[in-house]
């Protein structure tokens, strides 16, 4: 099924998941590699049957890969986006290992909505750059409060080192050239994907609500790895370091 065919397959959640993955991979060609390392480290530190909080879960991309690799795991997805949560809930409907919570991560009381007081791991990817530094630092403190002692937090996201401007510019130019070629080959970008969602009979209404909440895209921050590591230590994590990186992104692991 192509992206253009999705509008004829009302509530075909698997098709929407695949379309979301293709759109995200346009921006992040190494997306699956970061997920693989994330799950490798999850297994190394908390085992193969973890209780996971999928933070800013979107369509449940991390949860899908978690359960495919670790069938005994459980996952709570938390997000505010009505359209992406509709896809997530549709995809995992009837799976007792998975639950979803609608919550605003800028609301200091969001952890009170979770079904469990503590988690073995909190995982997130390519989402927290929607937040500015102050609310992100507050969020890290809240995350520390829901990770059990010995548990882990992992964040895979854009973390830009501003001390290397020429390297950054060269990497960005090469990446954007590849993206433009892929777009010419028919890959949907962010805006085109959301335009498609807005035309779907099931997703049109939650997509409209999503735009009321976020607009086209939030304007957050992308501080360097050192900032994230320092703040996470200040908020209560004992050990913090990168376990994977690309020229633009880092997977940072924090051990409670």
């Amino acid at each position: 099924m192509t992206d253009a065919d999705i509008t004829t397959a009302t509530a075909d959640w698997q098709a929407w998941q695949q379309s979301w993955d293709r759109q995200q991979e346009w921006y992040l060609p190494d997306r699956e590699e970061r997920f693989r390392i994330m799950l490798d480290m999850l297994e190394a530190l908390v085992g193969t049957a973890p209780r996971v909080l999928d933070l800013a879960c979107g369509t449940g991309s991390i949860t899908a890969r978690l359960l495919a690799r670790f069938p005994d795991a459980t996952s709570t997805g938390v997000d505010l986006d009505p359209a992406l949560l509709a896809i997530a809930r549709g995809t995992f409907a009837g799976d007792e290992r998975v639950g979803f919570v609608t919550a605003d991560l800028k609301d200091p009381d969001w952890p009170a909505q979770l079904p469990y007081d503590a988690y073995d791991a909190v995982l997130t990817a390519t989402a927290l750059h929607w937040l500015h530094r102050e609310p992100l630092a507050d969020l890290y403190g809240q995350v520390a409060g829901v990770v059990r002692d010995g548990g882990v937090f992992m964040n895979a996201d854009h973390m830009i080192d501003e001390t290397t401007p020429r390297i950054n510019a060269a990497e960005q130019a090469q990446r954007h050239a590849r993206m433009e070629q892929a777009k010419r080959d028919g890959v949907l970008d962010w805006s085109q994907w959301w335009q498609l969602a807005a035309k779907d009979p099931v997703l049109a209404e939650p997509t409209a609500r999503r735009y009321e909440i976020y607009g086209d895209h939030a304007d957050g921050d992308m501080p360097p790895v050192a900032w994230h590591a320092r703040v996470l230590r200040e908020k209560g994590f004992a050990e913090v370091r990168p376990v994977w990186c690309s020229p633009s992104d880092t997977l940072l692991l924090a051990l409670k």
Side-chain angles (χ1 to χ4, degrees), residues 185-218:
D185 293 339
V187 175
L188 295 180
D189 65 15
W190 173 269
S191 296
Q192 291 170 324
W193 190 92
W194 282 109
Q195 290 168 12
L196 191 65
K199 297 175 183 177
D200 183 85
V202 174
L203 288 178
E205 189 274 335
T207 296
R209 287 192 283 120
R210 178 244 177 233
Y211 274 95
E212 291 176 0
I213 296 170
Y214 295 112
D216 184 56
H217 197 289

Side-chain angles (χ1 to χ4, degrees), residues 165-185:
R166 290 184 297 162
I167 295 172
N168 298 348
E171 183 278 328
Q172 185 178 52
Q174 181 186 55
R175 174 163 41 89
H176 283 194
R178 290 175 175 173
M179 289 168 66
E180 287 304 313
Q181 181 58 55
K183 192 173 180 179
R184 288 192 290 270
D185 293 339

Side-chain angles (χ1 to χ4, degrees), residues 14 34 51 94 106 131 137 141 154 177 188 192 203 217 220:
Q14 190 58 46
R34 72 189 65 196
R51 176 187 292 169
K106 291 185 287 187
L131 297 175
M154 283 185 267
L188 295 180
Q192 291 170 324
L203 288 178
H217 197 289

Side-chain angles (χ1 to χ4, degrees), residues 91-105:
T91 299
F92 296 98
D95 192 331
E96 296 181 352
R97 299 171 297 176
V98 184
F100 293 98
V101 173
T102 301
D104 185 349
L105 296 179

Side-chain angles (χ1 to χ4, degrees), residues 17 28 47 61 98 124 153 198 230 241:
Q17 285 282 2
L28 306 164
S61 297
V98 184
T124 189
F153 168 62
R230 174 180 60 79
R241 74 169 178 88

